[in-house]
Amino acid sequence: MTETPRGWCVTPSTGIPTIAFGNQKGGTGKTTATINSAAALATRDHDVLAIDMDPQADMTKGLGLGPGDDNDPASPKNELPNTLVTDDENLLDVLVDNPRTHDTSLSEIVIEADEYDHLNFDLIPSHKDMGLARDWMDDANARLSLKLALEEMVDDGYNYDFIVVDCPPDLSVLTDAAFIAAQNVFLAAQTQATSRDALDDLWDQLESIEDNQQIEIAIVGLLANMYRDDGQSQKFLNSFDESFASMAPIFKLPMRVAIQRAWDNGRDIFGWEDANDQQVERDLFLEVAETMERAFDKTQVEA
Ligand SMILES: Nc1ncnc2c1ncn2[C@@H]1O[C@H](COP(=O)(O)OP(=O)(O)O)[C@@H](O)[C@H]1O
Ligand SMILES: [Mg+2]
C-alpha cells in the first residue's frame, strides 16, 4: 500500500487505479457517486472505464442505455438502445466463464465513449442476466473473476487512467468480486444512525476478504450523502471521523434535485444542463476526482 496524505490506496495487479463504490444499504448514493466521479475524472481528461456490477443496472439506466422512458417521450433515453436485453454476450458470461479459459472477455462487451455523443467514459453495462449471478457464482473462482477479466482486458491492449466499479446494494459474491478487483473502496452513506451499523458490517466483510485472499483493501473516501446541516448528520460524521477519518477524506453532498434529473435523462451531471444551478455537485465531484489523482499520483492530463 502507498501512504497518501489522508491514508492509503492500493494499485491492483493491472497497474490501473480501480475504485469500487460500495455499501450494502440501497439508496445511499453509490451509483450517483460512481457515475459522477467517472464523469469528473473524464472532465479532467482522464480515460475512465466504469463497470456496472449491479443486477438492478441503475448505472447503465442512468447513462441512458437501459429501457427508454415511457412517461417522458422527450427524454434523451428514448433514442438510445436498451443494452440490458441484448442477446449478445454480457457481463455475466465474462464473470461466470473463467476468462483465462473461456471466450468472452470484457473487451468484447465494452461500450466505448466514442460510440455515443453523451458518454464521457467507457462503460461495461449490466444485463438482465446478472440477476442469475448469485446462483451461478458460488465458488472461489467467481470472487476472482472480475480481477482476472480486468487483467485480460489490459493484456488485450486496453489501458485506462482509472476504473470505477458500481457495486450492488448487498454483500454478495458480486460485491466481493468488485472489492477484490479494485482493492480500493469508496463508501457512500447517508448521514443517519443506521448507516453506522451498515458500515461496521461492511468493515467486517472487508477484513474477511483481506484474510481469505491475502490482499489489502484501502478505504479511499466517504461520500456523506444527502448531508444536512443538523445534529443527526453531525453525530454520524463525528462517529465516522473517530473510526475512519485518519484514513479517508469525507465529502459532504447535500440533496440536489439536478442529480436526480440528470439520472432521469440518462446523463451525468457534467453532461446535463439543468434549470437549477449545478455548481455545488460539480465542484464536489471534481474535488473527488482531484483527491483520487493525488492519492494515486495521477496528475491531470494536459489538454
Ligand atoms: N445528493 C443527492 N441529491 C438528490 N438525489 C440524490 C442524491 N444522491 C442520490 N440521489 C438519488 O437517490 C436515489 C438513490 O441513489 P443511488 O445513487 O441510486 O443509490 P445506491 O446506488 O446506493 O442505491 C437515486 O434516484 C439518485 O438519483
Ligand atoms: Mg446503485
Side-chain angles (χ1 to χ4, degrees):
M1 283 213 236
T2 312
E3 194 169 4
T4 68
R6 291 295 301 268
W8 304 91
C9 64
V10 182
T11 301
S13 52
T14 53
I16 301 173
T18 304
I19 302 143
F21 290 76
N23 187 340
Q24 69 279 23
K25 266 173 81 91
T28 61
K30 290 177 286 299
T31 302
T32 301
T34 314
I35 291 179
N36 293 307
S37 301
L41 286 164
T43 298
R44 291 176 59 80
D45 290 324
H46 293 292
D47 282 331
V48 182
L49 172 67
I51 303 176
D52 190 353
M53 286 288 273
D54 186 355
Q56 291 173 50
D58 288 342
M59 178 159 75
T60 307
K61 294 177 194 166
L63 292 168
L65 294 164
D69 188 345
D70 292 341
N71 298 322
D72 180 7
S75 165
K77 281 183 174 179
N78 292 326
E79 290 158 23
L80 296 165
N82 180 355
T83 61
L84 302 180
V85 295
T86 158
D87 291 334
D88 297 342
E89 285 139 328
N90 63 66
L91 182 55
L92 186 70
D93 298 314
V94 177
L95 298 175
V96 168
D97 290 349
N98 181 334
R100 291 286 176 208
T101 53
H102 285 76
D103 294 338
T104 311
S105 62
L106 288 175
S107 47
E108 288 167 76
I109 63 167
V110 66
I111 296 174
E112 296 187 23
D114 293 349
E115 294 174 44
Y116 298 105
D117 281 350
H118 78 290
L119 267 192
N120 293 318
F121 45 85
D122 289 4
L123 172 71
I124 302 284
S126 186
H127 190 273
K128 66 174 176 32
D129 290 353
M130 287 285 282
L132 298 167
R134 286 181 196 83
D135 300 332
W136 291 10
M137 296 174 60
D138 56 358
D139 61 338
N141 285 340
R143 293 193 157 70
L144 293 175
S145 56
L146 184 62
K147 174 187 160 73
L148 292 174
L150 284 170
E151 286 172 0
E152 192 191 39
M153 194 179 198
V154 170
D155 287 350
D156 283 350
Y158 281 79
N159 194 14
Y160 291 99
D161 298 314
F162 288 93
I163 298 174
V164 297
V165 187
D166 189 20
C167 294
D170 56 36
L171 293 175
S172 68
V173 63
L174 286 173
T175 301
D176 281 0
F179 287 168
I180 291 167
Q183 291 185 251
N184 299 283
V185 176
F186 193 108
L187 304 168
Q190 288 189 39
T191 48
Q192 302 162 347
T194 50
S195 292
R196 172 79 226 219
D197 299 338
L199 290 183
D200 284 345
D201 291 345
L202 183 66
W203 199 250
D204 291 345
Q205 179 86 354
L206 291 175
E207 286 188 345
S208 118
I209 294 173
E210 287 182 318
D211 284 350
N212 290 334
Q213 305 291 332
Q214 292 293 300
I215 55 171
E216 289 183 288
I217 299 177
I219 303 290
V220 293
L222 169 84
L223 181 71
N225 195 15
M226 310 206 195
Y227 175 81
R228 279 188 308 216
D229 219 352
D230 61 12
Q232 203 190 27
S233 285
Q234 200 48 53
K235 211 167 135 198
F236 171 88
L237 283 187
N238 289 346
S239 76
F240 186 86
D241 248 348
E242 277 168 29
S243 0
F244 300 97
S246 58
M247 56 182 94
I250 298 173
F251 302 91
K252 296 183 217 165
L253 179 63
M255 190 78 167
R256 302 282 294 176
V257 284
I259 287 183
Q260 181 68 51
R261 273 208 291 262
W263 190 93
D264 288 343
N265 284 281
R267 298 285 187 272
D268 64 63
I269 56 168
F270 296 89
W272 171 248
E273 290 310 324
D274 200 77
N276 286 16
D277 173 53
Q278 298 182 92
Q279 210 53 46
V280 169
E281 49 272 43
R282 285 183 178 169
D283 284 350
L284 182 127
F285 283 105
L286 287 170
E287 196 190 328
V288 170
E290 285 172 43
T291 305
M292 295 305 130
E293 285 169 7
R294 277 200 304 278
F296 291 99
D297 206 15
K298 286 246 174 197
T299 41
Q300 182 174 16
V301 183
E302 294 301 324

